[in-house]
Amino acid sequence: MRRLRNVKIVATLGPASSSYEMIRALFEAGADVFRLNMSHGSHDDIRARHEIIRQIEKDTGRPIGILADLQGPKLRVGIFGSDTAELVEGAAFRLDLSDEPGDAARVCLPHPEIFAALEPGSALLVNDGKIRLQVERCGPDFAECKVIVGGTISNRKGVNVPDVVLPLAALSAKDRKDLEFVCELGCDWLALSFVQRPEDVLEARELAKGRAAILSKIEKPAAVKAYDAILEVSDGIMVARGDLGVELPVHAVPPIQKRLVRGARAAAKPVIVATQMLESMIESPIPTRAEVSDVSGAIYEGADAVMLSAESAAGQYPIEAVKTMNNVAISVESDRTYREVIEASRRAERSSVADAIVAAAREIAESTPIKAICCFSQTGTTVSLVARERPRVPIMALTPLMETARRMTLTWGTHCAITPVQHRFKGAVLAAAKAAREDGFATTEESVVVMAGVPFNRAGTTNILRVAPCDESKITNAETE
């Protein structure tokens, strides 16, 4: 199954998409990677969806990526005596550690870590920022606040603290259990919530022990400030615009998104743009024009993937949402302006032999009638370097390792295929020619670029490139001449 676009589609599974029939329909409509949200559903639910995805993978013969999204620590107020209270602008409101039911004057905030980090003038946002408080006086077990923006507050609403780096680990006790569960299950990517510093990523990496790649969700102002350091220790990035739009002014999010996408691309690491991309399609079969423009903007920026959340997990039109993203991507990528934007944003990264090889592969493929760039890779690193170049021809990612193929399904422009283990470059060229023909990228009359590393089956050795015909007899004859 060959996609007619380069950007990938991540679809979240949930109550609306938990059967074999629906998940397969989403895959056939265009989903490349499925997201399992650990904030919802039991381990049994997650296991069942994982098994269905792997069965579809077997039935279709195509690698499918699975992204497990860890919940992260959830900061919430306590309960109210009447379940809700009305906070009036300009009034005083106290947060403390007392477990007494709250009212319009106070409520419990059962997180001493927050009080330890607060300072006078700090902002507290409640219920996705609908209520805004400003700290006037605070101590180790309380915060006296002024209501800046009032409204109805109710039991266990979420709290955001945008102004300070909280002394909280990105992994809660629940996250640690979930991490071990999904790694044992065989998920390919771990999305890490509440990242504030590179140490958060390193902790998750130590626990994962190489069983899954680590994708950092940038959703905190502290993560934006420490982005370069976080990117360096991450395998991928998610621009999580939901919390970013709560903790930062909404007008600040678009330029931040562009900077994060460009940074990840320069580092040759996949980047997902997420949250509310087709929000109206939760209840409507047709998106708004603004939503289509939002998806298009992420694709023009060069994002590796765009993501559906509630649209595919709990919405009424999950298949239509995936089809819409697929069609938007095809339309954008066929636009001449798209190539102009993508190529204008390309950075010259030439610090290694592999960098030079992939740059040469792109230039050869774009200046001659080459049909695909075929990369043999053990870890996916070479494929990511080629994808960073955003070539005009398809990228065929060839590997004997299913785990590598699954992880590469998140990378821009890649068509992943499992090939036998190779020991000589001639065998690799023959395997590439065969895969290009069988998967519909080239005919026997056409040629591909083949990249590999010698010695074979060793990571980080990309050092050879060949323009090869897809007619195996011509390859064999050339070797004997």
Side-chain angles (χ1 to χ4, degrees):
M1 182 182 294
R2 178 181 174 182
R3 304 296 192 202
L4 300 178
R5 53 175 160 78
N6 292 306
V7 72
K8 300 305 181 77
I9 295 174
V10 181
T12 304
L13 300 184
S17 50
S18 57
S19 68
Y20 176 96
E21 292 74 18
M22 177 57 77
I23 297 173
R24 176 153 185 171
L26 293 175
F27 174 71
E28 292 177 348
D32 302 288
V33 177
F34 289 107
R35 172 177 173 253
L36 305 177
N37 189 351
M38 305 307 294
S39 298
H40 305 288
S42 66
H43 281 189
D44 287 342
D45 294 331
I46 298 298
R47 182 183 291 106
R49 289 166 189 160
H50 181 278
E51 289 176 356
I52 290 172
I53 296 167
R54 291 301 182 231
Q55 185 60 51
I56 293 170
E57 182 180 72
K58 181 178 179 181
D59 293 345
T60 60
R62 297 294 312 136
I64 302 175
I66 300 179
L67 168 68
D69 196 333
L70 301 179
Q71 176 178 284
K74 291 297 179 183
L75 309 178
R76 302 182 185 277
V77 299
I79 62 172
F80 291 84
S82 300
D83 292 332
T84 65
E86 196 69 27
L87 302 191
V88 179
E89 182 180 334
F93 190 71
R94 177 185 172 93
L95 300 165
D96 55 43
L97 295 177
S98 171
D99 57 6
E100 290 294 317
D103 53 29
R106 62 154 297 279
V107 74
C108 176
L109 181 60
H111 302 287
E113 303 92 340
I114 293 181
F115 295 120
L118 290 178
E119 297 176 352
S122 297
L124 289 165
L125 310 176
V126 185
N127 192 14
D128 290 334
K130 295 181 176 66
I131 294 173
R132 182 178 292 267
L133 309 174
Q134 186 176 57
V135 176
E136 297 195 323
R137 194 168 65 89
C138 56
D141 58 356
F142 76 95
E144 300 284 357
C145 305
K146 179 181 180 180
V147 179
I148 304 301
V149 178
T152 302
I153 186 171
S154 57
N155 296 338
R156 299 186 178 87
K157 285 300 181 183
V159 177
N160 294 79
V161 189
D163 297 342
V164 296
V165 177
L166 294 175
L168 287 171
L171 296 172
S172 66
K174 170 181 167 26
D175 293 326
R176 289 171 176 270
K177 292 179 182 177
D178 288 345
L179 184 152
E180 184 60 29
F181 170 71
V182 297
C183 283
E184 285 297 306
L185 201 57
C187 291
D188 310 296
W189 287 88
L190 282 172
L192 186 62
S193 301
F194 208 84
V195 173
Q196 299 185 95
R197 54 185 82 81
E199 290 78 10
D200 296 332
V201 186
L202 294 173
E203 180 186 5
R205 186 177 297 285
E206 184 177 345
L207 293 171
K209 295 181 175 66
R211 293 172 292 175
I214 307 297
L215 186 142
S216 295
K217 296 169 66 175
I218 307 300
E219 55 189 350
K220 306 283 293 178
V224 175
K225 292 178 182 178
Y227 179 60
D228 290 343
I230 290 170
L231 175 61
E232 185 176 353
V233 297
S234 303
D235 298 308
I237 294 293
M238 181 188 295
V239 186
R241 304 178 303 175
D243 278 325
L244 269 183
V246 171
E247 300 207 4
L248 291 166
V250 290
H251 57 265
V253 175
I256 289 172
Q257 174 178 315
K258 291 184 184 300
R259 180 164 70 84
L260 301 184
V261 170
R262 288 202 176 192
R265 179 182 166 191
K269 296 180 179 181
V271 55
I272 304 171
V273 175
T275 317
Q276 296 180 331
M277 301 214 80
L278 295 175
E279 186 85 354
S280 70
M281 292 194 75
I282 296 173
E283 298 178 346
S284 169
I286 301 173
T288 67
R289 292 170 179 80
E291 289 168 341
V292 171
S293 294
D294 182 38
V295 175
S296 299
I299 298 170
Y300 276 112
E301 288 166 13
D304 288 80
V306 287
M307 192 176 96
L308 296 167
S309 298
E311 302 97 326
S312 58
Q316 298 178 34
Y317 303 97
I319 298 173
E320 289 82 355
V322 173
K323 286 182 177 179
T324 296
M325 271 195 165
N326 183 70
N327 292 337
V328 170
I330 291 172
S331 178
V332 168
E333 292 181 6
S334 63
D335 176 25
R336 183 176 64 183
T337 303
Y338 170 75
R339 290 308 320 177
E340 293 173 354
V341 171
I342 288 296
E343 291 171 12
S345 63
R346 181 185 294 137
R347 298 186 189 180
E349 305 286 347
R350 305 287 186 272
S351 59
S352 68
V353 171
D355 290 333
I357 290 282
V358 299
R362 176 187 59 76
E363 291 177 4
I364 291 169
E366 293 179 354
S367 58
T368 60
I370 295 296
K371 291 302 178 180
I373 298 175
C374 301
C375 310
F376 283 85
S377 184
Q378 289 287 109
T379 63
T381 301
T382 301
V383 177
S384 296
L385 292 175
V386 176
R388 178 176 64 188
E389 295 286 320
R390 300 295 192 259
R392 298 188 182 190
V393 300
I395 303 166
M396 293 196 70
L398 308 175
T399 180
L401 305 176
M402 178 59 84
E403 294 80 6
T404 298
R406 289 167 176 165
R407 290 184 189 181
M408 289 190 294
T409 58
L410 193 57
T411 300
W412 184 97
T414 58
H415 175 88
C416 304
I418 303 297
T419 59
V421 174
Q422 302 296 327
H423 299 286
R424 297 180 58 203
F425 187 61
K426 177 183 177 182
V429 173
L430 290 168
K434 180 181 179 182
R437 294 196 314 273
E438 290 182 347
D439 290 354
F441 288 88
T443 68
T444 54
E445 305 302 316
E446 295 169 325
S447 299
V448 295
V449 168
V450 182
M451 296 171 52
V454 178
F456 267 89
N457 306 312
R458 184 181 300 176
T461 60
T462 301
N463 56 14
I464 191 167
L465 177 154
R466 175 176 172 179
V467 176
C470 287
D471 184 337
E472 293 183 15
S473 64
K474 293 180 179 178
I475 299 171
T476 304
N477 292 339
E479 291 290 334
T480 57
E481 288 176 357

